[in-house]
Amino acid sequence: MALLLLFSTLNAAAIDLPEFPSTLLSLDPFFDNQAASVNGSTADFDGSGNSFDGQFLPVGSYLYDGITYELPASWGTGNDNVVANNQTIALPESIFVHELHALYSGDSSGDATFTADNFILNFVDNSTQTLTLEASNWWGWPLLNLGIIQTPYSLEGNGTGKNLNTTSIFQWSTAVSSEKQLASITLPQVNPGHRLHLFSMAITPSNTSVNNVPALAIRRARFTSRWEIVNGTRAQAVQVTIANLLPNSMSSLNTSLNSKHTAEISGPGITTVTPGILNRLVPGDQARVDVLITGSTTGSNATVVIKDSAGNVIGQSSGWTTTALIEEYTADAASLNAHETPTWWNKAKYGIFIHWGVYSYPAWAPPAEYAEWYDYYLHNPPNSSSPTWVHHLETYGPNVLYDDFISNFTASKFNASAWVDLFDRAGARYFVQVTKHHDGFALFDAGNTTNRSAVVFGPKRDLLKELFDTAASEKPHLHRGTYYSLPEWFNPDYAKYGFGQWPGGLARNPFNTTPTFEPYTGHLNITDYIEDLQLPQMLTLATQYDTEIMWCDIGGANKTLDFAAAFYNHALASGYQVTLNDRCGAVPDFTTPEYATFNAIQTNSWESSEGMDPFSYGLNTATNASEYKNGTTIIQTLVDIVSKNGNFLLDIGPTAEGEIIEAMSTNLLAAGSWLDYAGECVYDTEYWFQGSQDPNPLDGTNPARFTTTPTTFCIVAFDEPTDEQLIIHQRLPLLPGDEITLLTPNGSHSSLPWSTESSTGNLIVNVSESGVSEVQYAWAFRATYTLNED
Ligand SMILES: *[C@@H]1O[C@H](CO)[C@@H](O)[C@H](O)[C@H]1NC(C)=O
Ligand SMILES: *[C@@H]1O[C@H](CO)[C@@H](O)[C@H](O)[C@H]1NC(C)=O
Ligand SMILES: *[C@@H]1O[C@H](CO)[C@@H](O)[C@H](O)[C@H]1NC(C)=O
Ligand SMILES: *[C@@H]1O[C@H](CO)[C@@H](O)[C@H](O)[C@H]1NC(C)=O
Ligand SMILES: *[C@@H]1O[C@H](CO)[C@@H](O)[C@H](O)[C@H]1NC(C)=O
Ligand SMILES: *[C@@H]1O[C@H](CO)[C@@H](O)[C@H](O)[C@H]1NC(C)=O
Ligand SMILES: *[C@@H]1O[C@H](CO)[C@@H](O)[C@H](O)[C@H]1NC(C)=O
Ligand SMILES: *[C@@H]1O[C@H](CO)[C@@H](O)[C@H](O)[C@H]1NC(C)=O
Ligand SMILES: *[C@@H]1O[C@H](CO)[C@@H](O)[C@H](O)[C@H]1NC(C)=O
Ligand SMILES: *[C@@H]1O[C@H](CO)[C@@H](O)[C@H](O)[C@H]1NC(C)=O
Ligand SMILES: *[C@@H]1O[C@H](CO)[C@@H](O)[C@H](O)[C@H]1NC(C)=O
Ligand SMILES: *[C@@H]1O[C@H](CO)[C@@H](O)[C@H](O)[C@H]1NC(C)=O
């Protein structure tokens, strides 16, 4: 026994992996701004006299996600950050760099959107790489935008007042090309409307001290809220990220991990029930795998163990803090913030959004306005400055009110089977139905909260139930989600909560005809909008319709903590996993850029939504058929988003009768036909750590995006390859022996000749003109790894 123990201890020491390294970059010489006020000292973070309250900010050495940053020893005594303005920060010595890290905040006020800021990496050979940070602002409302360091408010007016929105400092880590040694980093140009403030920066140097073997390190091990049933038991997913710290330029068979390896977790009470699989890890790369475990408790230490295919331990890393799998959520942010998007959502990648309601009858908006906002623009402003007001007057006259359209919203041709069949053939893996937009008209049975619904008026049908029941029975693999607007524009009960474009209170007749105030058809006498309408309706969607995605809109007054706990616990008890977006006023699982995507990988969950229409979610009859997104735009947008770790929620606007017009369905099916043969480069993939350096900085050509699976690497080219060659100006995680094929509708999967330029790593694939011409929209080249035999 003693001998055995001694042996295993010795063995363990020999195979302990080094800690993932980081080195601070000194920003102090560049500090030119004071972000934080303390004890009456006044700072001016944003140039308008507003500041952080320094009493809530951590001081000194600050560890997050394995990286050590440096914050001031005390806040409020001088400059504590640098406003990015094209400063160049030289590295102490030129070295290969694996990853760059920063603590930052953007300073636009109250604006939750992101701004792309470009850092320029200057390598020793004078070549450069641009790294884009999608920077978040220090506070945002009503959309949520919370960083890793949060303060309960910010100080206004040189410290005389408080802005009660949670205010944040954010963290960013990003891959750096280690093809060449890095000499310096040039900070982004200043953007006056949104200045980027950097508090601390660090780099992870590459490891150049080992020869002929990969330099493995565990980047992180995260005990998640995600689970899968294994042998009848709920097993927790632990996401383990593994790095090969050698520089990219040292890529070879010997320096890469290139055979079936497994990752396991050991620790008090922990059993690994399904190891993570890792087949390929080249120099400069990172890979994420899920290890499924049972038995974890909160607050103890676990060890990540990497084994080769023979079961020999080749490395291990200890000290990873455990978090137990959640069995029941409580209605507080600490409990609910631990929730994250489920594995099915992460893998699904592509959903269909459906904006259908009373607005589908007028179905009109001027260019660059949302047609589902008809009711709002009819009243704002109520004169000829509003194109919708003019259109309404000309089309319907001054005596037709918005609620008169309820009877025109007939759903007379609505066929739920036809819809879900279309979504399926389009290649979507989930859909999100608008169940109540800002006009307050519900497509489901809202019980005693309101009669303003399709069950009581208009079609007199429970449209949501028809769609959900049909999907569940005919296309059970499609996940079912619900959009729900927290506010209502003109609900009289919302007046006490109203804000901005959601004032609440009855709409005033825009044509000065009678009545002066428009009716709110179906309104019931309730006491409180939040208690008696919003929360019960959301709970109905969760517990009676079993929605899997609660896609809130607008935020504002809410009881989302109560809702989310009930939503998650109902799903847990029923054996499925659900998710909540960032517009519910609290505890988001994912962010939702609207008619926008991110320019760079976001490691947290995100989903872009856009209409098939160039600028409307609801049907807009003023849009010509030729303007709708076509096969090319749908596929390239989807692949771009997926390559950056996002999902794509593509919206359709059915007619008031419930039909999906041909201009939409044809293009959806066109994209679906591509996904039929190339979908393996989209679904169930992961983004690639290094991402796409695109467009190619040399000549702007060959835009391509990359995705990975444990056994393959996909290159999806957006331009048709010319001269029978695909050229990628970047070193990819390919090794001699890998088989590359072009995915085509005819399934002609012959292996293509390929080579790399030894000095640059650039890839050249030879592909016949006839193969290339079989494909439309995007050219998916799949490299299948050829593994070493151990
Ligand atoms: C602010 O005041 C508190 C209590 O008076 C004190 O402990 C702290 O050191 C002060 N901080 C600074 C930065 O002066
Ligand atoms: C940024 O700095 C570089 C030198 O580091 C200079 O060449 C360039 O003109 C500057 N750009 C702007 C917009 O100031
Ligand atoms: C990089 O640029 C500097 C300044 O223009 C020049 O002195 C140096 O020789 C260049 N280095 C290389 C490797 O081209
Ligand atoms: C790879 O490793 C093997 C065994 O150690 C060695 O024989 C071979 O020379 C190495 N190849 C390279 C390219 O370093
Ligand atoms: C966990 O491991 C770390 C580093 O190995 C150690 O410092 C810490 O005390 C351990 N914590 C517990 C609860 O065992
Ligand atoms: C319409 O109303 C808005 C807001 O009251 C006002 O700013 C605008 O000048 C008006 N336009 C016309 C043509 O009356
Ligand atoms: C819309 O509804 C009104 C009132 O029910 C009706 O008179 C009108 O014909 C309908 N319009 C259409 C196009 O069905
Ligand atoms: C509804 O759509 C399905 C699938 O397209 C079709 O088979 C069925 O005939 C349609 N039903 C009606 C009533 O049109
Ligand atoms: C609405 O409810 C309030 C209080 O519950 C009551 O005083 C009032 O009479 C009701 N109004 C109608 C129209 O039922
Ligand atoms: C949601 O409700 C919580 C609790 O009342 C509140 O603190 C938060 O500000 C609300 N969110 C928004 C966006 O208004
Ligand atoms: C749509 O088509 C009509 C008729 O061809 C044309 O007049 C109009 O300009 C087009 N609209 C747009 C936005 O292209
Ligand atoms: C698809 O739409 C894009 C963007 O509008 C356009 O540039 C392209 O020409 C369209 N492709 C086809 C085949 O119509």
Side-chain angles (χ1 to χ4, degrees):
M1 191 66 176
L3 261 178
L4 254 178
L5 267 178
L6 183 62
F7 177 78
S8 69
T9 308
L10 280 175
N11 199 27
I15 53 176
D16 273 347
L17 295 172
E19 268 187 38
F20 189 80
S22 66
T23 311
L24 282 166
L25 289 181
S26 175
L27 286 186
D28 303 34
F30 298 93
F31 278 0
D32 57 6
N33 177 270
Q34 184 177 338
S37 313
V38 174
N39 295 354
S41 78
T42 55
D44 183 3
F45 175 67
D46 65 351
S48 303
N50 306 314
S51 60
F52 285 86
D53 187 336
Q55 66 171 307
F56 300 110
L57 295 174
V59 294
S61 194
Y62 183 76
L63 179 70
Y64 178 79
D65 190 29
I67 308 303
T68 303
Y69 299 93
E70 188 66 23
L71 292 172
S74 66
W75 294 90
T77 54
N79 286 342
D80 49 33
N81 73 88
V82 49
V83 177
N85 185 17
N86 197 38
Q87 300 92 336
T88 293
I89 299 168
L91 269 58
E93 54 172 338
S94 297
I95 52 168
F96 292 104
V97 174
H98 178 85
E99 210 177 315
L100 174 68
H101 315 280
L103 295 183
Y104 77 88
S105 292
D107 70 12
S108 332
S109 45
D111 170 355
T113 57
F114 299 77
T115 308
D117 287 300
N118 290 329
F119 290 70
I120 311 292
L121 304 181
N122 306 297
F123 297 100
V124 287
D125 66 350
N126 291 342
S127 67
T128 61
Q129 180 190 355
T130 301
L131 290 179
T132 302
L133 162 65
E134 292 281 353
S136 301
N137 290 313
W138 62 324
W139 63 272
W141 190 89
L143 300 194
L144 290 168
N145 205 14
L146 301 176
I148 58 159
I149 297 170
Q150 296 175 13
T151 69
Y153 57 82
S154 54
L155 294 168
E156 292 183 318
N158 297 312
T160 55
K162 283 181 186 172
N163 169 338
L164 291 179
N165 289 293
T166 304
T167 307
S168 296
I169 293 177
F170 300 84
Q171 183 272 342
W172 177 54
S173 286
T174 187
V176 170
S177 165
S178 46
E179 200 62 44
K180 300 153 195 163
Q181 288 159 313
L182 186 63
S184 64
I185 301 171
T186 303
L187 302 184
Q189 306 287 334
V190 73
N191 174 348
H194 148 103
R195 299 182 310 170
L196 176 71
H197 297 247
L198 291 152
F199 294 91
S200 181
M201 289 176 74
I203 53 167
T204 292
S206 301
N207 180 340
T208 50
S209 70
V210 300
N211 289 313
N212 262 345
V213 289
L216 297 185
I218 302 302
R219 172 68 177 91
R220 63 178 73 80
R222 234 166 38 75
F223 287 67
T224 75
S225 66
R226 295 182 287 113
W227 51 269
E228 277 173 45
I229 299 287
V230 181
N231 301 329
T233 308
R234 282 205 304 138
Q236 180 181 20
V238 180
Q239 187 187 60
V240 176
T241 305
I242 306 151
N244 183 346
L245 288 172
L246 290 173
N248 296 109
S249 54
M250 284 179 66
S251 185
S252 75
L253 277 170
N254 282 10
T255 54
S256 301
L257 184 152
N258 190 41
S259 58
K260 184 179 172 184
H261 285 65
T262 57
E264 297 178 11
I265 307 289
S266 70
I270 294 175
T271 305
T272 296
V273 293
T274 308
I277 305 288
L278 178 68
N279 292 312
R280 166 72 52 93
L281 194 63
V282 300
D285 206 356
Q286 292 186 8
R288 306 195 296 184
V289 301
D290 269 354
V291 184
L292 297 176
I293 64 161
T294 55
S296 67
T297 52
T298 294
S300 62
N301 268 336
T303 300
V304 176
V305 180
I306 309 292
K307 293 181 178 169
D308 66 17
S309 57
N312 299 315
V313 176
I314 62 150
Q316 66 180 36
S317 164
S318 318
W320 299 100
T321 306
T322 62
T323 308
L325 183 59
I326 299 165
E327 299 293 342
E328 185 171 11
Y329 289 86
T330 51
D332 56 90
S335 169
L336 299 165
N337 275 329
H339 192 270
E340 59 185 80
T341 52
T343 307
W344 70 256
W345 189 92
N346 299 341
K347 293 184 164 206
K349 309 297 185 191
Y350 185 31
I352 300 290
F353 209 176
I354 310 146
H355 273 66
W356 193 36
V358 175
Y359 47 82
S360 305
Y361 177 72
W364 190 87
E369 265 177 24
Y370 291 154
E372 68 278 15
W373 273 60
Y374 189 98
D375 195 12
Y376 185 80
Y377 294 124
L378 178 58
H379 296 92
N380 291 285
N383 62 33
S384 60
S385 293
S386 165
T388 300
W389 183 91
V390 173
H391 169 84
H392 188 94
L393 187 60
E394 287 173 353
T395 313
Y396 306 103
N399 296 315
V400 173
L401 306 176
Y402 183 79
D403 275 7
D404 292 333
F405 292 149
I406 292 174
S407 63
N408 297 114
F409 175 58
T410 62
S412 56
K413 296 178 184 163
F414 171 54
N415 178 341
S417 295
W419 281 27
V420 296
D421 186 55
L422 175 66
F423 304 161
D424 191 37
R425 289 198 288 148
R429 292 278 166 101
Y430 62 100
F431 65 86
V432 177
Q433 168 71 55
V434 170
T435 63
K436 185 199 81 173
H437 206 262
H438 315 326
D439 64 2
F441 190 82
L443 266 56
F444 61 100
D445 186 348
N448 59 9
T449 64
T450 185
N451 283 336
R452 192 173 175 79
S453 81
V455 175
V456 181
F457 294 101
K460 301 197 172 64
R461 285 159 70 177
D462 187 337
L463 301 173
L464 184 66
K465 184 170 162 48
E466 285 181 37
L467 184 64
F468 270 31
D469 286 354
T470 303
S473 67
E474 295 175 14
K475 305 286 175 193
H477 52 280
L478 284 178
H479 290 276
R480 305 182 289 277
T482 47
Y483 164 108
Y484 180 82
S485 173
L486 298 196
E488 293 176 18
W489 286 314
F490 303 123
N491 189 323
D493 300 315
Y494 197 71
K496 81 185 221 212
Y497 299 108
F499 66 99
Q501 292 172 300
W502 298 270
L506 291 176
R508 181 179 275 273
N509 186 318
F511 301 107
N512 295 322
T513 51
T514 49
T516 305
F517 287 96
E518 298 182 24
Y520 206 63
T521 306
H523 176 255
L524 294 178
N525 192 9
I526 58 171
T527 304
D528 179 70
Y529 179 88
I530 306 298
E531 291 279 353
D532 303 333
L533 187 149
Q534 184 195 86
L535 178 62
Q537 289 188 357
M538 290 171 77
L539 289 172
T540 295
L541 294 173
T543 62
Q544 289 172 40
Y545 292 81
D546 290 349
T547 187
E548 294 168 88
I549 302 164
M550 182 52 86
W551 210 107
C552 304
D553 203 3
I554 308 305
N558 68 89
K559 292 211 111 188
T560 292
L561 296 183
D562 298 85
F563 168 73
F567 181 38
Y568 297 161
N569 290 333
H570 171 76
L572 265 179
S574 315
Y576 60 92
Q577 296 178 73
V578 297
T579 190
L580 189 72
N581 75 346
D582 62 344
R583 303 178 180 207
C584 305
V587 296
D589 282 350
F590 61 97
T591 46
T592 54
E594 176 167 326
Y595 267 92
T597 64
F598 289 128
N599 289 298
I601 291 167
Q602 305 295 301
T603 50
N604 291 330
S605 299
W606 63 283
E607 176 191 68
S608 265
S609 71
E610 281 188 47
M612 294 282 290
D613 186 286
F615 198 74
S616 182
Y617 290 91
L619 177 67
N620 185 353
T621 51
T623 300
N624 292 334
S626 63
E627 294 176 83
Y628 287 104
K629 289 188 176 59
N630 57 34
T632 305
T633 23
I634 295 169
I635 291 302
Q636 296 193 358
T637 306
L638 171 63
V639 171
D640 174 63
I641 289 169
V642 170
S643 76
K644 293 166 182 162
N645 197 35
N647 281 11
F648 187 30
L649 185 61
L650 176 62
D651 176 82
I652 57 169
T655 65
E657 291 76 36
E659 288 188 308
I660 297 162
I661 64 171
E662 195 185 319
M664 293 195 199
S665 60
T666 303
N667 291 342
L668 283 177
L669 291 173
S673 70
W674 187 92
L675 286 162
D676 266 348
Y677 62 85
E680 66 178 280
C681 286
V682 174
Y683 309 119
D684 305 337
T685 61
E686 282 264 341
Y687 69 91
W688 180 43
F689 174 63
Q690 293 273 344
S692 172
Q693 288 165 41
D694 174 78
N696 163 30
L698 299 178
D699 55 14
T701 58
N702 286 321
R705 297 291 185 275
F706 310 118
T707 59
T708 70
T709 75
T711 52
T712 59
F713 184 83
C714 282
I715 303 156
V716 184
F718 289 172
D719 290 342
E720 179 166 349
T722 51
D723 301 330
E724 308 213 313
Q725 281 193 330
L726 169 76
I727 302 177
I728 302 292
H729 296 264
Q730 196 177 347
R731 190 188 296 277
L732 303 179
L734 302 182
L735 291 171
D738 289 348
E739 302 229 338
I740 300 183
T741 60
L742 175 64
L743 303 179
T744 76
N746 305 322
S748 49
H749 285 182
S750 68
S751 173
L752 302 170
W754 64 275
S755 60
T756 51
E757 280 171 25
S758 58
S759 56
T760 59
N762 291 350
L763 172 74
I764 302 165
V765 182
N766 295 64
V767 55
S768 72
E769 188 54 47
S770 62
V772 162
S773 63
E774 286 173 35
V775 175
Q776 277 183 294
Y777 316 141
W779 287 259
F781 292 84
R782 182 199 60 207
T784 303
Y785 299 148
T786 295
L787 303 182
N788 296 342
E789 316 209 340
D790 290 319

